[in-house]
């Protein structure tokens, strides 16, 4: 999976929620101008998000690449490069580990497919009949308030062949295909573009973003999550990201920030 074109001058890979947008769901002032400055300098700008659905605001960002469901799906320059689907047996095993009570009530279970509208929820009347026919499921999400019970489920899900568990919140488990994490997405995108780790910059705010650290020359931690203690730079919150990215751009592209 390599490119036949001249590689970009740099690769900038960014988490979305908590990194580029805050609780209000909006980017901070100056962010889009800064991302465009990276692009004008010859960088490839990518967003690698956990979201199953891409928010409408990304339509105006003119990004080169977008990955959703951590790294299970990636579109690069208008073309879908990969869809890393969960094996049907893995989805069966994940749902089979839930008790009947955990499929309803205060719990939440959903399956995300490549179709941006293709989210199957446990509250759908025909969920049990529909999900086995879901095309290429990208992730299974289960949330509930009993964190101790989720600890046990996490151990069960971690043993499912062909899958991996991501636990960014105490009240939620996510199952994706093996090799569908953010680190693999960044590594494989860089390989496709022909950009080495020495020309790669990344940023994130949560434990799943830590997987990108080994594949980037410089990693910007947004916030103070301990899983990102090895980050090279820190920004207190999304409002500070444009300023720090400008400093990184001067290093990456030789541009005056």
């Amino acid at each position: 999976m390599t490119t036949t074109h001249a590689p970009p001058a740099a690769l900038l890979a960014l988490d979305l929620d908590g990194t580029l947008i805050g609780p209000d769901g909006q980017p901070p002032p100056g962010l889009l101008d800064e991302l465009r400055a990276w692009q004008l300098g010859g960088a490839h700008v990518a967003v690698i998000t956990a979201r199953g659905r891409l928010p409408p605001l990304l339509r105006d960002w003119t990004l080169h690449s977008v990955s959703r469901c951590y790294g299970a799906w990636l579109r690069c320059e208008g073309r879908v490069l990969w869809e890393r689907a969960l094996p049907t047996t893995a989805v069966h095993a994940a749902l089979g580990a839930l008790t009947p009570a955990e499929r309803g009530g205060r719990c939440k279970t959903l399956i995300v497919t490549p179709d941006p509208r293709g989210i199957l929820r446990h509250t759908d009347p025909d969920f049990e009949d529909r999900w086995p026919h879901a095309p290429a499921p990208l992730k299974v999400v289960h949330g509930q308030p009993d964190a101790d019970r989720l600890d046990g489920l996490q151990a069960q899900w971690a043993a499912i062949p062909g899958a991996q568990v991501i636990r960014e919140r105490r009240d939620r488990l996510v199952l994706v295909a093996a090799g569908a994490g953010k680190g693999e997405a960044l590594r494989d995108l860089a390989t496709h573009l022909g950009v080495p780790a020495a020309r790669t910059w990344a940023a994130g705010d949560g434990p799943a973003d830590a997987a990108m650290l080994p594949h980037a020359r410089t990693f910007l931690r947004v916030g103070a999550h301990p899983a990102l203690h090895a980050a090279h730079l820190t920004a207190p919150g999304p409002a500070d990201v444009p300023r720090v990215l400008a400093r990184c751009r001067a290093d990456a592209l030789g541009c005056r920030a």
Side-chain angles (χ1 to χ4, degrees):
M1 189 167 58
T2 57
T3 181
T4 57
H5 303 93
L11 170 58
L12 177 64
L14 307 157
D15 170 54
L16 184 62
D17 294 283
T19 299
L20 300 184
I21 60 176
D24 64 353
Q26 297 300 315
L31 176 66
L32 298 190
D33 288 340
E34 181 55 33
L35 296 184
R36 292 187 184 108
W38 278 79
Q39 293 174 318
L40 289 172
H44 185 103
V45 178
V47 161
I48 301 178
T49 177
R51 290 199 187 202
R53 285 178 174 169
L54 299 175
L57 63 85
L58 288 188
R59 297 171 188 158
D60 302 324
W61 287 25
T62 61
L63 298 164
H64 295 115
S65 295
V66 179
S67 173
R68 57 190 176 99
C69 297
Y70 296 94
W73 180 95
L74 182 131
R75 184 182 67 231
C76 177
E77 296 178 332
R79 180 168 63 97
V80 176
L81 285 189
W82 65 68
E83 293 176 352
R84 292 167 174 162
L86 278 160
T88 302
T89 53
V91 181
H92 268 291
L95 297 181
L98 304 177
T99 67
E102 287 171 338
R103 292 180 182 242
R106 298 173 63 194
C107 302
K108 179 179 76 172
T109 305
L110 57 86
I111 298 172
V112 179
T113 72
D115 182 344
R117 300 163 295 176
I119 297 180
L120 307 179
R121 294 178 171 83
H122 75 283
T123 51
D124 297 338
D126 53 353
F127 175 80
E128 298 291 346
D129 294 327
R130 289 177 59 203
W131 83 255
H133 306 289
L138 298 178
K139 71 175 180 180
V140 178
V141 181
H142 176 71
Q144 61 165 289
D146 188 343
D148 291 335
R149 168 59 178 154
L150 280 180
D151 290 342
L153 277 174
Q154 182 173 354
Q156 290 179 268
W157 283 19
I160 296 175
Q164 62 178 320
V165 181
I166 298 173
R167 179 92 175 266
E168 288 202 280
R169 291 170 41 172
R170 286 290 294 158
D171 64 348
R172 183 175 299 173
L173 285 181
V174 176
L175 192 76
V176 295
K182 290 190 175 187
E184 292 93 340
L186 176 55
R187 179 199 64 200
D188 293 347
L189 175 61
T191 299
H192 172 76
L193 297 171
V195 179
R199 303 295 304 162
T200 300
W201 278 253
D205 75 311
D209 301 315
M212 294 193 287
L213 267 163
H215 307 290
R217 168 182 168 175
T218 300
F219 188 94
L220 167 61
R221 176 175 69 172
V222 183
H225 200 289
L228 299 171
H229 65 89
H232 307 95
L233 296 170
T234 297
D240 306 281
V241 167
R243 170 182 54 82
V244 183
L245 284 183
R247 288 170 46 199
C248 293
R249 176 166 50 91
D251 181 27
L253 305 174
C255 304
R256 178 174 295 180

